[in-house]
Amino acid sequence: MPNEVSLTCTLNKEYLPATGQPQLAYVLMEIVPTQAMAAVQMPLNLSLVLDKSGSMDGAKMTCLKDAVKRVIDLLGPDDFISVVTFDSSPKTLVKSQQAASANDKQNLKRQVDRLSAGGGTEIAPAMEAGLSELQRAYAANRINRLVLLTDGQSEHEDRCRKQAQKQAGTGIPMLALGIGADWNEKLLLDLAGATGGQADYIAGAQDIVPYFQSTVQAMQAAVVQNAELVLRLVAGINPRKIWRVVPVIADLGYRPLSDRVVAAPLGELEKGQGQALLVELMLPPRQAGAYRIAQAEVAYDAPLLGLTQEKVRADIMMSFTQDAFQAQQVNPRVMNIVEKVTAFKLQTRALQEAEAGNIANATQQLRAAHTILLSQGDAELAKTVRLAADELEKQNKLSSEAQKTIRFGSGKTVRLDAPEQP
């Protein structure tokens, strides 16, 4: 029996009322590498593709150089790194190489110290150069990643999107990072999405070093690859949504494999955190009693252990009752996550409404999200959302900074203690 990954399923209610109406149930699924994976660490193959245009001058460039040097410090002897910089044209500052010794790392840092800002912003050729460096050291048993950072608008966005499609064919994801308020979030979201990666927002220069450090540490913790959830449902049960809630909230979507089987890709799992999903299921009426409503299965690869398509399964049981007191009891841990997802949906809709010019609707959604966030103790994001609602009412638009803070901060609200390991 595989023991590299644990799968636990928790319902929002142990009992549903035995009524004649369909009912919505929530299932929290926690998928975490076990202690059997504690000593495993996959080597990295990174390409840092970094904006050095004129707008990066000053504190941003100083902090960026410090961040790259911090990444170099974190590298192990089996890791590969390359650094591509760009303004109006790309330059390969560091060709793909290992930093096996302290002397190697010092040499790399000296090259990084030569960075200076100036010029325009042309991202596509730099993406191509970074991908080329990654392919030199590509291996299935490495974490292969292109990390793009920019603070501005790129020329020839269509070329960027075509290059992202080319990268998608290699299976190498992109982490697309925007710093400050002046970059095109739609472009970076498109680039990251095309490659199966992520986009994110770095508010200021002071945040670059800790962000780069935590990002590399997360990559080093990724020990499981190609994870996928398969959900086998009992007849009459319909899936509504599958949300990833840890590490960040996102609508995973799902693809039907048959009339009662759906699947959702999970990708990598990190030690100590893994992933948590919130699954919405619509259940048909049932008589009082206990029923199996679904079976969850997670398939995964552990390349360094030579394992492919290992599987872990868990049955999902639901009881129906005529006892009103039993039916009122809820799992507060799961319901807390349901509330966080609700706040996320409200903020997402608010941004869509504001973009469409529906200011009253957008404001209403933001104020509803603010109430939930405040009740859950997310004071900083709640304040941002409240100020954004005030700004919308007064100016009929949101600032770029408010949009980015909400769009990229709204999914980072769920924090779970790891479930007990087998």
Side-chain angles (χ1 to χ4, degrees):
M1 180 178 177
N3 66 348
E4 298 82 22
V5 172
S6 68
L7 169 62
T8 59
C9 298
T10 308
L11 289 156
N12 67 309
K13 299 181 76 168
E14 188 176 349
Y15 295 93
L16 284 177
T19 70
Q21 300 298 321
Q23 298 178 72
L24 183 63
Y26 297 93
V27 186
L28 173 64
M29 298 182 183
E30 294 167 87
I31 307 148
V32 183
T34 67
Q35 288 300 314
M37 304 294 287
V40 176
Q41 181 170 315
M42 294 181 65
L44 307 183
N45 175 29
L46 301 179
S47 183
L48 306 180
V49 179
L50 308 174
D51 191 339
K52 61 171 287 294
S53 61
S55 56
M56 286 291 295
D57 198 18
K60 283 187 282 190
M61 181 54 65
T62 299
C63 292
L64 180 59
K65 289 192 284 188
D66 288 343
V68 176
K69 288 187 281 188
R70 181 62 184 135
V71 169
I72 292 168
D73 284 334
L74 291 170
L75 296 177
D78 296 325
D79 297 331
F80 282 80
I81 187 171
S82 60
V83 180
V84 174
T85 63
F86 65 92
D87 43 38
S88 298
S89 59
K91 177 182 179 181
T92 302
L93 185 70
V94 174
K95 290 187 177 294
S96 180
Q97 60 188 270
Q98 293 170 290
S101 68
N103 189 52
D104 292 336
K105 292 186 176 184
Q106 287 303 317
N107 287 337
L108 287 175
K109 289 179 184 180
R110 280 193 285 270
Q111 295 179 67
V112 172
D113 278 329
R114 296 203 300 266
L115 262 173
S116 61
T121 306
E122 180 73 78
I123 294 178
M127 290 169 55
E128 184 175 15
L131 180 61
S132 177
E133 293 301 319
L134 282 170
Q135 290 174 318
R136 294 174 185 268
Y138 177 86
N141 63 351
R142 293 193 176 112
I143 300 295
N144 305 280
R145 195 77 85 251
L146 189 150
V147 180
L148 168 71
L149 180 140
T150 184
D151 74 336
Q153 309 275 337
S154 177
E155 300 175 31
H156 305 112
E157 291 185 1
D158 57 328
R159 295 182 189 174
C160 296
R161 291 185 171 88
K162 288 178 182 177
Q163 181 58 33
Q165 291 295 332
K166 178 181 176 182
Q167 183 173 326
T170 68
I172 299 175
M174 177 192 299
L175 175 60
L177 304 174
I179 178 170
D182 296 329
W183 49 279
N184 184 340
E185 59 199 86
K186 185 178 187 311
L187 175 63
L188 293 201
L189 286 165
D190 287 349
L191 300 184
T195 64
Q198 291 182 313
D200 209 347
Y201 167 49
I202 300 177
Q206 72 282 356
D207 301 313
I208 303 176
V209 174
Y211 192 101
F212 271 48
Q213 174 171 312
S214 63
T215 296
V216 171
Q217 290 171 334
M219 292 177 190
Q220 291 171 329
V223 292
V224 169
Q225 291 188 314
N226 304 319
E228 181 180 57
L229 170 70
V230 174
L231 197 58
R232 296 180 173 86
L233 303 164
V234 172
I237 295 177
N238 296 310
R240 294 211 331 178
K241 283 282 189 180
I242 300 179
W243 298 93
R244 180 188 285 124
V245 295
V246 170
V248 296
I249 302 174
D251 182 355
L252 283 186
Y254 59 81
R255 71 181 191 281
L257 300 182
S258 71
D259 59 343
R260 286 164 34 194
V261 182
V262 298
L266 306 180
E268 298 171 353
L269 302 178
E270 298 173 19
K271 290 184 287 189
Q273 175 175 258
Q275 293 189 29
L277 313 179
L278 185 70
V279 180
E280 301 178 13
L281 298 176
M282 185 61 71
L283 309 185
R286 287 280 192 269
Q287 299 294 320
Y291 302 86
R292 190 183 83 155
I293 59 174
Q295 182 189 69
E297 175 186 281
V298 174
Y300 60 89
D301 300 339
L304 291 189
L305 301 182
L307 301 176
T308 58
Q309 288 299 289
E310 290 291 325
K311 295 179 174 65
V312 59
R313 298 181 179 91
D315 286 337
I316 304 171
M317 304 294 296
M318 171 63 79
S319 294
F320 290 77
T321 183
Q322 294 180 338
D323 185 320
F325 177 78
Q326 283 184 326
Q328 289 173 357
Q329 306 308 303
V330 299
N331 184 304
R333 186 167 179 260
V334 179
M335 292 309 299
N336 177 272
I337 294 167
V338 172
E339 287 289 291
K340 290 182 183 295
V341 171
T342 299
F344 172 83
K345 290 190 283 189
L346 287 167
Q347 292 170 83
T348 302
R349 290 172 191 158
L351 294 177
Q352 294 168 346
E353 294 281 8
E355 187 175 350
N358 301 322
I359 304 304
N361 288 346
T363 303
Q364 184 180 28
Q365 303 274 8
L366 288 176
R367 297 214 183 280
H370 168 260
T371 300
I372 296 173
L373 292 167
L374 204 58
S375 70
Q376 298 227 320
D378 293 314
E380 186 173 346
L381 184 57
K383 180 181 177 182
T384 298
V385 170
R386 177 179 60 79
L387 292 174
D390 293 343
E391 180 182 311
L392 259 181
E393 282 190 332
K394 293 176 182 177
Q395 302 179 15
N396 289 331
K397 65 178 182 179
L398 284 174
S399 68
S400 179
E401 182 178 2
Q403 289 182 54
K404 289 174 169 60
T405 301
I406 292 170
R407 189 181 305 280
F408 295 99
S410 60
K412 300 176 182 178
T413 58
V414 179
R415 294 168 185 83
L416 290 175
D417 294 331
E420 292 186 6
Q421 299 295 324

